[in-house]
Amino acid sequence: MEGARNLTGKKSDSPLWKGRSSGMVNDIMLEMGESISLDIELFEEDIRGSKIHSEMLNKIGILSKEELQKIHTGLDQIREEIIEGQMDLRIELEDIHTHIENRLTELTGDTGKKLHTARSRNDQIALDTHLYVKKSAIQSMKSMYDLCEALLKRAEEHTDFLLPGYTHMQVAQPIRLSHHLLAHFWSFLRDFDRFHQSFQSADRLPLGSGAMAGVNYPTDRKYIQKKLNFQSIYPNSMDAVSTRDHIMDFLYASGVFMVHASRISEEIIIWNSIEFSFITLPDSLTTGSSIMPQKKNPDLAELSRGKTGRVCGNLFSLMTNLKGLPLTYNRDLQEDRFPLLDSSKQIQMTSQALTEMIRTAVFNKHNMQSSLEKGFATATDLADALVSEKNIPFREAHHIAGDLVRVCMENGCTLQTISDELRAKISPLLEDRAFFRNAIDLFKSADKKISESGTSLPRQKDQLNQAQQELSSRKEILKRNAEPS
Amino acid sequence: MEGARNLTGKKSDSPLWKGRSSGMVNDIMLEMGESISLDIELFEEDIRGSKIHSEMLNKIGILSKEELQKIHTGLDQIREEIIEGQMDLRIELEDIHTHIENRLTELTGDTGKKLHTARSRNDQIALDTHLYVKKSAIQSMKSMYDLCEALLKRAEEHTDFLLPGYTHMQVAQPIRLSHHLLAHFWSFLRDFDRFHQSFQSADRLPLGSGAMAGVNYPTDRKYIQKKLNFQSIYPNSMDAVSTRDHIMDFLYASGVFMVHASRISEEIIIWNSIEFSFITLPDSLTTGSSIMPQKKNPDLAELSRGKTGRVCGNLFSLMTNLKGLPLTYNRDLQEDRFPLLDSSKQIQMTSQALTEMIRTAVFNKHNMQSSLEKGFATATDLADALVSEKNIPFREAHHIAGDLVRVCMENGCTLQTISDELRAKISPLLEDRAFFRNAIDLFKSADKKISESGTSLPRQKDQLNQAQQELSSRKEILKRNAEPS
Amino acid sequence: MEGARNLTGKKSDSPLWKGRSSGMVNDIMLEMGESISLDIELFEEDIRGSKIHSEMLNKIGILSKEELQKIHTGLDQIREEIIEGQMDLRIELEDIHTHIENRLTELTGDTGKKLHTARSRNDQIALDTHLYVKKSAIQSMKSMYDLCEALLKRAEEHTDFLLPGYTHMQVAQPIRLSHHLLAHFWSFLRDFDRFHQSFQSADRLPLGSGAMAGVNYPTDRKYIQKKLNFQSIYPNSMDAVSTRDHIMDFLYASGVFMVHASRISEEIIIWNSIEFSFITLPDSLTTGSSIMPQKKNPDLAELSRGKTGRVCGNLFSLMTNLKGLPLTYNRDLQEDRFPLLDSSKQIQMTSQALTEMIRTAVFNKHNMQSSLEKGFATATDLADALVSEKNIPFREAHHIAGDLVRVCMENGCTLQTISDELRAKISPLLEDRAFFRNAIDLFKSADKKISESGTSLPRQKDQLNQAQQELSSRKEILKRNAEPS
Amino acid sequence: MEGARNLTGKKSDSPLWKGRSSGMVNDIMLEMGESISLDIELFEEDIRGSKIHSEMLNKIGILSKEELQKIHTGLDQIREEIIEGQMDLRIELEDIHTHIENRLTELTGDTGKKLHTARSRNDQIALDTHLYVKKSAIQSMKSMYDLCEALLKRAEEHTDFLLPGYTHMQVAQPIRLSHHLLAHFWSFLRDFDRFHQSFQSADRLPLGSGAMAGVNYPTDRKYIQKKLNFQSIYPNSMDAVSTRDHIMDFLYASGVFMVHASRISEEIIIWNSIEFSFITLPDSLTTGSSIMPQKKNPDLAELSRGKTGRVCGNLFSLMTNLKGLPLTYNRDLQEDRFPLLDSSKQIQMTSQALTEMIRTAVFNKHNMQSSLEKGFATATDLADALVSEKNIPFREAHHIAGDLVRVCMENGCTLQTISDELRAKISPLLEDRAFFRNAIDLFKSADKKISESGTSLPRQKDQLNQAQQELSSRKEILKRNAEPS
C-alpha cells in the first residue's frame, strides 16, 4: 500500500468515504474504483439534472430562492470550467458526481451540500445515463436519417443502372441499382426505428429513487419529469436504480446497425476490387499509392466492418455483466459506462463514413453490365421465353438454354456476343434473332419482375415513393424531439 | 465419396439439384447442407403459407379451383402425417420445403409442382421464420404476462412483509416485500413489450420476393398479407430475403429476458441458502435428500441462471453470422434456424419455471426481519431522528449512531435487543426509550419513504394499482392477437 | 401440475430423488432438468468409466470378483442396447448416469447399486466430459492434420501459379499460389496445437472427488488414472467437480478454428465468383442449376463461414454461464453439455468440408494472371528498376510509373499490353523494351522476394520442406495418442 | 469536407499518403482512421523493434555505422520525449509508426527514412503487438503467481478452519478452509499456464514479411530474432501479417482468468454479507458509512466480477472482427488494438485487487461453524455411523437421521445442541451420547475424506506440498523469462 495518489499527481485528502474510521484507502481501490476517466463525458447530463433537481428542492421548500440561485451560478461556472478543460480529474474523487459536488462546495459552501438532499449517487448516475442514451439515440436517429437520405438520393439517380443481383455471390438476376441501394435503405430505416425504441426505453425518469427505497421527502417528481422532458417516471425505485435495460437497448440498436453497416461495407470492399470495379470512391475517402493510382484502399468500409465486433462486443459485455446480479445497486454496474460511451462514438463515426461514401461513390455502369453478361444472367429468361413463345416443353427449353451457356463458355463469349451461326447450331429455335435478342435483354428481364417490391421500373418508382414517405415520417419524429431532450 | 445416404438408411436418388450434369453429391454436402433436422419444427408455418399461396395463385388464375382443392387436400394430409410422425426425414431432401414439395408431388403429381410458381425457397423460408417469430413472440408475451401476474399477486399478498433492501449485497434499508417483487414485475413487463416489438418486427410479409428480384407474375400480395395477418409487406424484395432483423429482435428480447431471469434466480438461490432462509420452495420444484430434509436444491433457479449464457450466445451467434454478408441470399443464413428454435424453447421453459416458483414460494417473514436487525438497517433513521427531534448537529448524531452500532456489534446484540443500560452509557440522548423505539422501528422507516415509487405503504398501494392497470393493457394486446397470428 | 410424464409416454415412478417426503415432481422440473437428450451421446465415456471404477472397487475389496464380473457383463449389455437403439430415454431418469444405473439394477440387482460406492454424479459427469473432450480433441487434431496435408499437397503442386496477393482486397503484389495455400496451412497447424492443448487440459482425472470433498474410502485413483490413460489427477476435489476449464479450452480451440475456416471460406466464395473465377469447385461440392451451368453455389464454404458465429457463440455461452458461479457444483453447470457436443460436431463437419474443397478445387491460372495484370501488380517493381538500373531519383521514378499506370487505365490496356509508342510518350526511359519487360515480369517480381518466408521460388521450397517437417512431427503426436484415449 | 484537423488543433499538411494526386483527406478519414490514441501505448515496442531492425540493416550493409548511430540516438531521444509527454499526438499522423518516423526524419533527415527499408507498416505493427503480448503475458503470469502465492499462504494458515462445502448454494459437507482456498489456487495456476501459452503463441517473429510477400533484401531475420528474443520466425510472410492468433490467445487467457476471478469474487461478496459473515475485509479495501460500521461494501470484488463481461467481450470483439476476413492485411485488423490494451489493463487491476483481498481478509471461524451446524452438515455421517457401528440397515439409518433433522428444525436446535431427551425419543440408538457426539463431529467428518485430493488433514498436507512444488516450477518459468523479453 503506497498511499493514495491521484491522476494529477497530488496527494488526495478527501475521499468521499473518508468518514470511515480507519480510512486508509488502498491504491488499487482508487485505480479500479474510479470512473471519472469515463463519466466526465456525462458532465452535461449531470449538471443539467442537478439544476432541475435544485429547482424542485426550491419548489418543495428545501432550498431558498437565494440558495437555488447560488447553486445554479455555481453549476454554470463548473460547466464552463469543464468545457474549458480547467477541471483536474482526480481519481480519489472517483466519479463525475463527486467532482462536481466537491467543486460546488468550494464555490458555495454548505449551500452546495444541500443539493444532495433527496437523491443518491445511485439515482443520479441512473439519471445521467438515461439522459445520455436519449441524446445518443437522437443523434443516431439523425445519422440514420442522413444515411437513408443519401441512399434514397443515389437510388433515385440510378434507376437505369443494371447490375447483377447475387445469391451465394453468384450472378443470379439483373436488378436495378436503385433496387439494391434501397434494400440497404430499408435496413437502415429499421435501425432508425430501433434507435427510437432505445430512446423510448430511456424516456423514464429514475431520479427520486434515492439509494433504492425512495426518499424521505415529498419530492415533486412530476416537476422534474416535465422539465427534463421524460415521457414517464419509474414506478419502482428499486427497479429504477438497478435496471440497465435502456443501455442494453441502445447497445443492441447499435449492434444491429453495425451488422447492417458491415454488410454494405463488405459490398463496397468487393465492388471496389479491380475484379469487380463496380464502384469508384473519391480519393478523399480512400488511401492509395502514388505509383498505383488504380489502387484505392476502402479503409472506411474496412473500418466500419471491423468495428462491428467491437460494438457487438459492447452489448455482450453488458449482458454478461448483468447476468446473475441481485437487486439493487452493485458496483458491477459501474462497468456500464464504457460500452455505452464507446458504442455511441463508434456508430457516429461509422454512420458518417457510410453516408460520405454513399454520397460520393461513382458507380460503373459498364462493369456492372459486363458482369451480368459474363454471368449469363438472362439464360433463365431465355428458357422461359422458349416455353411461352416457342411452345416447347419446360424440360426441353432448359436443355437448350443450358447447352447455349455451355457453348458460350467454351467459346469465350456471352449470350450478347455469341454469333448467329454458333447459336443456330444449338437449336433452330435460337435462329430467330429478334426473339433471341428480346429474350436475353437485360432490361426486359428486370422489367418482368412486376410483382410488388420487384425490380421492374414501375415498381421501383412505387418503392421510391414509399421510401420518400417513410423518410418524411421519420423527419417528423426528429422534429418532435428537436427540443432539448 | 461414399455416395449419398439418408437419415432413414435409404439410398437417395433425388436431390433437388439432380438436374446438374455430373450430379454426384458428396456425403458432406448432404450432412452439412441439411436443415430438415431443425426446420421440421417449422412445418405448420410452411404448410399454412403454402395453402394461402395456392389460394392466391388460384385468385390470379394460375391454379384452377380443382387444382387448388387437390393441393389443399394434399397439404392437409401431409400435415397429419408429420404430426403422426409418419414422415421420414431424409437429409438428401435437405429442408422442410423439399420434404413437403416431394410428398405433395407424390400425392398430386404435376399439380403439386405448380404450387411453386411465383415463389422460391428464399422467400418461402423467410415467410416461415416470420410466422414462427410471430408465434413465438406471442407465446413469450403470454409467458411474460403469466409471470407478471404471479409477481403482482404475491406482491399484493406481501405488503406487510419487510426485508432488507440490499446494495452491494449489504443490508441497506427496510423495504416491503411487495416492493421487491414489483421491481421484478416492471422488468418482466418491459420484456413483454420487447417481445411485442419483435412481433411487430416480424409482422411484415416477405413472400412474393422470389429468389430476390421479385417474380414474373402479377401476384396479389395483399391477399396473402390479409389472410396471413401481416401488418405490412416488405417494400423491397432483396431486403425481404436477406434480412434477419426479425430473428435478431426476437433473440435479443429473449436474451434480455434471460438476463432478468438470471437476476431473480440468483436471489432465489441466495434466499434459499440456510444462511438467508428467506424463502421455502415446494418439494415439487426442488431436489433434495431423505437424510437432510432442510436441503432443497433450487435446480430450476440454477438452470434458469445457467441458460442465460446459452440464449445470449444464440444472439451472438446470429450477429456474428450476419456480419459482413453481402446481399442477397447466402447459404450462411441457413444457420439462423438453430438459435431461433433453441432460444424460443429455452425461454418458454425458463419463464414457466420462474412463474411456478413465484406462485408457490413461501416467504419467511421472521428471517427477513432478523437480517434487518442484524444489519442495523435503521441506524441511519436513528441519526436522522436525533437531528430532527433532539436538535443536535448532524455530525454529532452520526457519531452517536455509529458508536451505538459498534457497541451492539461488540456485545452481540441489535438495536432491537440492546439493553437500556448499555444504550444510556453511549449517550443520554438514547435514554428516552419511546423516542428510541420509534426511531429504529423498521416499519416506520419504510413508511418514511413517501416519495413516488417509494416503499411506504401508500406508495405501495399506488404502485400495485399502476401495475394492475399496466397488466390489463397488456391483456388487451394479447387479445388483439389471439386470432391465428 | 399435471403429474410426471416421460418422453416415452409412460408414467414415471422412480425419480432419483424419490426418497423425498412429499416427492411429487412438477412437469417443468422434468422437462427443464433432464439432460439425457444430450448426454446420451456420452454413453461410451460413462460406461468405460464405470467399468474401470468397478475394477478399482474390486481392487480395494469393495466388490468381489464375481460382482465385478456381473457388473461388467451388465454394462457391456447396456452398451449394446444403446448402440442398437433399444434404450428408451425417459426424462424422469434425467441423465445418462441414471439411465445406466437404473438398467444395471434391473440386470444385476443390488450388485449394480454397489457400483456407485465412492463416487457421485458430480465427479462422474466430470469424468465423462473429460473423456469426451479428449476424444473430440484427438478427432479434431486428426481433422486438422488432414486439412493441413491437403493444403500442403496442393501447395506443392502449385509453386508455379502466380496470383495477386491482396491487401484491402486490392491487388498488391504477385505471389505464388503455394505461398497463399501455405499461409492457411500454418494457421490450421496452430489449430492442431490448440486442440492438443485442450486435450492436455482435459488429461486430468476428476473421478474420486465424490460430491466435492473427497470420499470416505481409500480409493486407488492411480489405478483408474492408469487404466483410463490420464496424464495426472486433480489435486483438489472441489476444483475437480467445479471446473469447466477443459471444456472452455476445447470450445476456444474450436472457435479459433472456425475463425480460420471462415477466412479461407470467404476466399473460396470470392474466388468462385464469376468476376474472379480463380477457382472451380467440383459439382459434387456445389449446388447449381441446369440452365446456368456456370453458376456453382459454394454452399460448403458459405456454411463453414456461417457456422463460425455458432461455434463462437457456444464458447460465449459457457463463459457467461460460469461467470459468478460460487463453488462447487451448481446445476447451471449442466448447461455445459450442449456447447460441447454441438461445437464438436460442427467442427468435424467444417473441417471435412474444407478438406474436400481443398483436395478437389481446380485453380485457374489464367484468371489469376489476368487479375495481376489488370491490377498493375508490378508497377512498383518498375519504379524500383528505374531507380536501380536507370539511376534516376526515387521521386522521378514514382512519377513515371504512376503516369504509365494512368495512361494504361485511360487506354484500357495493361503494363503487359501497352504499345511501345504509348510507353515511349510517357518517358524515353521506358523505350528500352527488354528493360521494361524484365522490370514488369510477374514471376521475376515474385522471385525478388528473397527474404526468409518470402514468395520467391527458393524460399517456397524451404517453406514446403519446413511444412513437411512440422506435419510429420504432428503425425508423431497423433500416433502417441492412437491408443484408446 | 471541412478540411483536415488534428488532435492538437493544428492544421495538418502531411498525411502519410499525401503523394496521392487529389490528396484532400476527409475529416472522417482522419477521425476514424487514426489509431495513435491507442497505439501510443506501444511506443516502447515500436522503438525497440526499430533499433534492432536498424542494427540488422547495418549488418547487411544498408545502413552505415554512422547512420545506425544517428538513428539510435534519434530513437532514444524520441523515447524520452514520449515518456516526458512532449510528443503531440496528431491524428493526421495516424499511428505510432508514423509519429516516430516523422519525428525521426525531423531529427535525422534522410537517414531516418532509410530505417524503413525492408519493412512495412504491416509487419511493423505485427512486431509491436507480438512484443506487447509477450510483455503482457509475462506480467499476467507474475500476477497469477502472486495471487497463487497469496492463496497458498492463507491456505497454509487455515487448515484448521472448517466451513461448509456448498453444492447448489446449500450446505453439503464440512471442508477445511485450506481446501476451499486451494481450489481457487489450482484454477489460477492453470491461468498462469494459459498466459504462458499465449506468450509462446506470440513468441514468433513477424518482422521481415514486408507488406505480405516478403522483402527484396537478403535480410538477416535470425539476427533480429536473437536480439528480440523470439523463439521462432513465421515461416510464411502472408500468415505473419494476417494472423491475430497471438492476440486471441491472450484475450482468451484473460477471459478465462476473469471467469475464475468472478467466481471467487462472488464468494467474497456473499461471504461478506451480514447473513454469512464468513469474511471481514479491511477498511482500506472496502467502502462504508460512518453510521453503519458493519456495512462494508466489497467494491473490489464487485468490480472484478463486473469486468468479466468486458474482458470476455473483448475476445468476442476480435473473433467477430476476424470472421470472414480474406488474406492478407485488411484495415479491419487495426481494431485489434483496443481489446488487447484494454484487457491487459483490466486483468492487471483485477488480479491485484484479488491478491490484496486474499492477503488481508480475516476469516470468521465461528460463523463458518455456525453455518455447518445450521445446515446439519453431518447428518449423513450419522446415518453412515448407524449402519457401520449400530449394524442397522441403510434404509432404517436414513430414516432415523432424517427424523432427527426434522425434529431439530421443529425445535430450532442443531445436531450439536439437541437435548439428550429429544434425541432419545427419536430412537434408542441415539441415546449413546459418546457415539452420537463422535458421529456428528465436524472435524471427524472432514477427516473421513481420506481419498487423494480430499479434505482430510493428511490429504491437505499432501495438497499443500504439491501446490508448493507446482508454484516453484512456475517461478522457474518466470526466471527464465526475466531477461528483457
Side-chain angles (χ1 to χ4, degrees), chain B residues 67-291:
Chain B
E67 286 171 325
L68 175 63
Q69 192 50 52
K70 245 171 129 177
I71 284 173
H72 274 219
T73 308
L75 289 171
D76 286 339
Q77 177 176 337
I78 293 168
R79 187 173 168 278
E80 284 309 306
E81 290 174 357
I82 293 175
I83 289 171
E84 296 301 319
Q86 293 164 1
M87 178 175 274
D88 268 359
L89 303 187
R90 297 160 59 191
I91 60 172
E92 78 279 8
L93 294 184
E94 278 200 326
D95 55 24
I96 183 64
H97 323 304
T98 313
H99 276 78
I100 291 174
E101 172 180 347
N102 198 60
R103 181 69 182 129
L104 189 65
T105 306
E106 282 176 16
L107 293 174
T108 67
D110 279 352
T111 304
K113 287 185 184 161
K114 280 195 182 173
L115 172 59
H116 304 290
T117 311
R119 72 175 183 184
S120 77
R121 288 202 285 177
N122 295 352
D123 59 350
Q124 199 178 346
I125 186 62
L127 175 65
D128 291 0
T129 61
H130 278 76
L131 289 171
Y132 187 87
V133 167
K134 288 180 69 179
K135 183 174 74 178
S136 287
I138 291 290
Q139 283 173 342
S140 305
M141 287 156 69
K142 280 180 190 154
S143 299
M144 295 305 105
Y145 183 88
D146 290 345
L147 178 51
C148 285
E149 193 179 45
L151 282 161
L152 178 53
K153 183 160 178 301
R154 302 313 304 275
E156 284 166 344
E157 295 166 7
H158 291 86
T159 51
D160 64 342
F161 273 55
L162 286 189
L163 79 161
Y166 291 87
T167 54
H168 309 266
M169 272 297 284
Q170 298 282 301
V171 172
Q173 298 172 325
I175 52 160
R176 294 174 189 283
L177 180 52
S178 51
H179 201 178
H180 192 114
L181 293 170
L182 286 174
H184 292 297
F185 169 93
W186 296 109
S187 190
F188 291 121
L189 197 75
R190 287 194 295 273
D191 289 327
F192 181 104
D193 295 345
R194 221 172 263 107
F195 280 117
H196 192 208
Q197 286 170 355
S198 75
F199 174 88
Q200 292 170 321
S201 174
D203 206 8
R204 297 177 177 105
L205 176 69
L207 198 70
S209 302
M212 58 113 166
V215 297
N216 293 359
Y217 298 87
T219 51
D220 186 347
R221 295 183 80 186
K222 290 204 172 48
Y223 177 83
I224 293 178
Q225 175 195 6
K226 199 183 151 194
K227 298 289 280 194
L228 289 176
N229 266 325
F230 277 101
Q231 178 69 23
S232 64
I233 297 177
Y234 276 97
N236 184 299
S237 57
M238 297 177 74
D239 180 35
V241 299
S242 307
T243 185
R244 291 302 183 263
D245 282 15
H246 59 300
I247 304 183
M248 280 195 283
D249 287 346
F250 178 76
L251 296 181
Y252 172 64
S254 303
V256 176
F257 162 66
M258 291 301 299
V259 166
H260 293 160
S262 75
R263 299 186 73 169
I264 192 170
S265 294
E266 173 88 1
E267 292 184 335
I268 291 172
I269 293 162
I270 291 174
W271 289 10
N272 185 58
S273 70
I274 195 77
E275 289 81 3
F276 275 76
S277 293
F278 282 10
I279 200 174
T280 307
L281 294 169
D283 288 355
S284 62
L285 297 178
T286 53
T287 54
S289 100
S290 62
I291 297 188

Side-chain angles (χ1 to χ4, degrees), chain C residues 11 63 76 112-113 182 216 226 228 251 273 281 337 339 346 402 414 454 458:
Chain C
K11 270 277 171 198
L63 288 179
D76 287 340
K113 286 184 185 161
L182 287 174
N216 294 358
K226 198 183 152 195
L228 289 176
L251 295 181
S273 71
L281 294 169
R337 237 132 301 166
Q346 301 304 326
T414 68

Side-chain angles (χ1 to χ4, degrees), chain D residues 283-445:
Chain D
D283 288 354
S284 62
L285 298 179
T286 53
T287 54
S289 99
S290 62
I291 297 189
M292 298 200 279
Q294 91 293 354
K295 195 169 188 298
K296 291 192 174 189
N297 300 330
D299 299 73
L300 289 183
E302 295 172 280
L303 286 164
S304 295
R305 187 178 60 181
K307 286 176 184 298
T308 307
R310 180 169 181 167
V311 175
C312 291
N314 283 338
L315 171 61
F316 286 97
S317 163
L318 185 59
M319 294 182 96
T320 303
N321 182 344
L322 294 174
K323 177 233 159 187
L325 285 195
L327 298 180
T328 59
Y329 185 79
N330 301 284
R331 193 70 186 266
D332 317 51
L333 294 174
Q334 179 174 310
E335 288 290 319
D336 62 356
R337 237 133 302 167
F338 177 76
L340 173 57
L341 297 169
D342 187 56
S343 284
S344 178
K345 190 179 164 198
Q346 302 304 326
I347 58 172
Q348 293 312 323
M349 284 198 294
T350 302
S351 55
Q352 195 188 335
L354 290 182
T355 303
E356 284 295 310
M357 288 190 287
I358 293 299
R359 278 184 186 149
T360 57
V362 174
F363 298 101
N364 305 322
K365 199 174 193 168
H366 174 73
N367 296 330
M368 289 173 169
Q369 178 148 338
S370 168
S371 276
L372 280 167
E373 297 182 3
K374 279 193 292 185
F376 305 101
T378 45
T380 307
D381 296 277
L382 174 65
D384 289 348
L386 285 167
V387 172
S388 63
E389 298 182 36
K390 300 293 178 187
N391 297 309
I392 62 170
F394 182 78
R395 188 174 299 262
E396 193 183 336
H398 269 230
H399 191 74
I400 292 172
D403 276 356
L404 176 66
V405 170
R406 228 177 309 267
V407 167
C408 285
M409 288 168 74
E410 286 159 17
N411 288 274
C413 60
T414 68
L415 301 185
Q416 279 72 23
T417 61
I418 190 170
S419 69
D420 293 354
E421 296 68 34
L422 218 43
R423 225 166 54 218
K425 269 195 220 159
I426 294 161
S427 163
L429 292 168
L430 299 178
E431 281 183 46
D432 177 349
R433 200 180 185 188
F435 159 79
F436 181 75
R437 282 288 177 200
N438 195 55
I440 65 159
D441 187 272
L442 296 168
F443 273 96
K444 283 182 179 150
S445 167

Side-chain angles (χ1 to χ4, degrees), chain C residues 135-173:
Chain C
K135 182 174 75 179
S136 287
I138 291 289
Q139 281 172 342
S140 306
M141 287 156 70
K142 279 181 190 153
S143 300
M144 295 305 106
Y145 183 88
D146 291 346
L147 177 51
C148 285
E149 192 179 49
L151 283 161
L152 178 52
K153 184 161 178 298
R154 302 313 303 276
E156 286 166 343
E157 294 165 9
H158 292 87
T159 50
D160 64 342
F161 274 55
L162 285 191
L163 80 161
Y166 291 87
T167 56
H168 311 266
M169 273 299 283
Q170 298 282 301
V171 172
Q173 297 172 325

